[in-house]
Amino acid sequence: MCIRSSDILLTAIAPAIWGSTYLVTTEFLPAGYPVTVAMLRALPAGLLLLVVRQMPTGVWLARSFVLGALNFSFFQTMLFVSAYRLPGGVAATVGAIQPLIVIVLSRIVLGSPARALSVVAGVAGMAGVALLVLTPKAALDPVGVAAGLAGAISMAFGTVLSRHWTPPVSPLTFTAWQLAAGGLLLVPVAFLLEPSLPSLTEANILGFIYLGLIGTAFTYLLWFRGLSRLEPSQVSPLGFLSPVVAILIGWTVLDQQLTAVQVLGIATVFASVWMSQYAQATHRAASAPSLRV
């Protein structure tokens, strides 16, 4: 297997694990504390990864807080606002526009070409997510839709800037900086907007440990490692795997029904991910210098 293929597979592990977040949140965590939960996901994970003992200085201190806000603080807050005000299917479908935004931003910020097949893959991915999670009773709430779009734009900017601002440190250190900064920004928000957490049960503690260590520290390390090696427009569509895994977990663990429409949605998502990777591979092959015999 070539190095680039292994990079894609390793990066894909992150959104696959993120697909378990819904199960862990609903089954293991206390309800009604979205900002606090987001803060407790990011800050402890960032502090744990900071065992590298290399703190950001100069311009990288400011960039760490900008990226921490885009990738964690603002994104997570908008994600929860959208989830609370919209049916889950609508929220997921609105957020699925992110790969298309990444294509546009990559063109503007990085100068990457906007390939037609990548755009088709992004649209197909949105359609696949819609087939997976939308129901006939899905209703639109303007504030919820606006929050979903704002979260998608925030994460798209964070994805592109994470590649544009190539850090002088390892992906481990870069991930720690962003997680710690994002978590710190959420501390005053959680303190002002939400009550104190109730006494935590063993299940709550296990849920927080899983989200912090596996669902955040480990996954974002893989995600930012991928961004350091792959194009943002190649990494972002991998996020479509998250709702697929969430649906499959609900089917296998929670005994939820898996319909024919959802199976079609899963197939469409996988097709869109393949198209996005094929578009990049085709471009690399066309750009590679030909060998003269």
Side-chain angles (χ1 to χ4, degrees):
M1 180 183 296
C2 69
I3 294 177
R4 189 168 296 271
S5 296
S6 63
D7 288 337
I8 294 171
L9 291 176
L10 282 172
T11 307
I13 292 174
I17 291 177
W18 291 336
S20 66
T21 300
Y22 177 79
L23 172 70
V24 174
T25 301
T26 56
E27 301 296 320
F28 289 87
L29 299 184
Y33 300 87
V35 180
T36 302
V37 169
M39 181 266 292
L40 290 177
R41 285 187 65 180
L43 184 56
L47 295 178
L48 177 65
L49 293 180
L50 278 177
V51 293
V52 294
R53 296 181 181 179
Q54 188 173 359
M55 302 297 291
T57 57
V59 68
W60 284 105
L61 180 61
R63 288 179 176 180
S64 295
F65 275 94
V66 170
L67 292 174
L70 291 172
N71 287 322
F72 302 105
S73 307
F74 187 76
F75 168 68
Q76 291 284 346
T77 301
M78 292 298 100
L79 180 68
F80 280 117
V81 170
S82 176
Y84 273 103
R85 298 187 68 100
L86 294 172
V90 177
T93 305
V94 171
I97 197 174
Q98 180 190 322
L100 294 175
I101 301 173
V102 166
I103 292 174
V104 176
L105 291 177
S106 294
R107 175 62 179 169
I108 297 172
V109 178
L110 304 175
S112 302
R115 303 176 188 91
L117 187 57
S118 295
V119 175
V120 171
V123 174
M126 286 190 65
V129 171
L131 291 172
L132 273 172
V133 296
L134 282 183
T135 66
K137 297 181 180 180
L140 297 179
D141 174 84
V143 175
V145 171
L149 289 174
I153 293 171
S154 176
M155 187 66 173
F157 266 103
T159 298
V160 174
L161 288 177
S162 294
R163 177 58 187 264
H164 180 57
W165 290 337
T166 305
V169 293
S170 67
L172 172 63
T173 302
F174 194 41
T175 303
W177 289 354
Q178 294 187 56
L179 282 171
L184 286 171
L185 290 173
L186 284 172
V187 169
V189 180
F191 179 77
L192 293 173
L193 298 184
E194 293 182 351
S196 301
L197 284 172
S199 298
L200 298 180
T201 65
E202 287 187 10
N204 296 154
I205 295 173
L206 288 175
F208 279 119
I209 291 174
Y210 173 83
L211 284 182
L213 294 180
I214 306 300
T216 303
F218 175 66
T219 54
Y220 276 102
L221 176 59
L222 293 178
W223 188 254
F224 291 123
R225 176 190 178 277
L227 279 173
S228 69
R229 296 165 178 250
L230 303 167
E231 291 292 326
S233 56
Q234 192 173 11
V235 173
S236 185
L238 298 175
F240 289 138
L241 298 176
S242 185
V244 170
V245 172
I247 290 293
L248 293 176
I249 288 177
W251 176 53
T252 56
V253 178
L254 301 179
D255 199 27
Q256 295 175 347
Q257 185 180 6
L258 186 64
T259 66
V261 172
Q262 289 176 316
V263 173
L264 177 60
I266 292 173
T268 304
V269 166
F270 281 124
S272 74
V273 172
W274 178 84
M275 280 191 290
S276 65
Q277 305 309 316
Y278 180 76
Q280 293 290 335
T282 302
H283 172 71
R284 287 196 307 273
S287 303
S290 58
L291 296 177
R292 296 182 179 180
V293 180

